[in-house]
Amino acid sequence: MPDPAPDLPLLRPPQRKVPLGQAICEIPKLFRIGPSGLFDLLRAVAELALARYLLARRSVRQLGIPGKAPTLLNGAHSFVPLSAEQRAIVARISYAMQVAPPRVPWRSDCLVQCLAARRWLGTLGIPARVSIGVKREAGGPLLAHAWLVVDDMAASDTVVTGGDLSGFSEFQVPPSL
């Protein structure tokens, strides 16, 4: 029986890593960002390591990927508007998750970053959901991508990790999952 899906070229995009020499030269900058910024970067590295470990040992379903937005019985979102302090925390975590992954010695793809940031936000009581989508570039491979979203009812959804999402179509999670 023929394969119902044609062979699609699936490529793993290269991850940009900072060379070790450059990372060592950046050490003096760490002391200029202050104790809270340094703590955020160290926490980001720890969360990335834990997320990488969990991703290797648990199934996608056990990890809750993709995430569903919590809903109330009437179908409305149960998220409440984030306070200014919570928005500042989200911004700090987002920054740490942009800076740390290229500097760790292991591969920290988009999904690892999402899991790390979601866990970190969850420990602070800020709900977030992992979204997964795909895009097909003209004549190119099918690209999959994951990003983390904080649903803020007072503002538009905030993307914590994931970068540029243009051209990606998000998978919809069936209500039964």
Side-chain angles (χ1 to χ4, degrees), residues 6 16 20 24 28 31 52 55 59 77 83 85-86 92 95 118 132 134 166 177:
R16 184 184 69 81
L20 180 61
I24 291 172
F31 297 105
R52 173 96 174 160
L55 187 60
S59 72
H77 287 289
S83 67
E85 180 181 338
Q86 288 175 320
R92 285 178 38 207
Y95 175 76
R118 182 180 70 176
I132 297 178
V134 294
S166 60
L177 290 179

Side-chain angles (χ1 to χ4, degrees), residues 90-109:
V90 169
R92 285 178 38 207
I93 292 173
S94 180
Y95 175 76
M97 286 297 167
Q98 290 173 7
V99 173
R103 289 162 179 81
V104 295
W106 59 87
R107 190 170 175 99
S108 296
D109 289 333

Side-chain angles (χ1 to χ4, degrees), residues 82 89-98 113-114 116-118 120-121 126-129 146-151 157-163 165:
L82 296 178
I89 290 169
V90 169
R92 285 178 38 207
I93 292 173
S94 180
Y95 175 76
M97 286 297 167
Q98 290 173 7
Q113 293 174 32
C114 288
R118 182 180 70 176
W120 189 355
L121 287 167
I126 301 172
R129 65 181 165 83
W147 58 94
L148 187 70
V149 177
V150 172
D151 293 318
D157 293 347
T158 303
V159 177
V160 181
T161 66
L165 304 176

Side-chain angles (χ1 to χ4, degrees), residues 126-145:
I126 301 172
R129 65 181 165 83
V130 175
S131 297
I132 297 178
V134 294
K135 80 174 176 179
R136 175 87 187 235
E137 295 183 354
L142 186 64
L143 298 174
H145 186 51

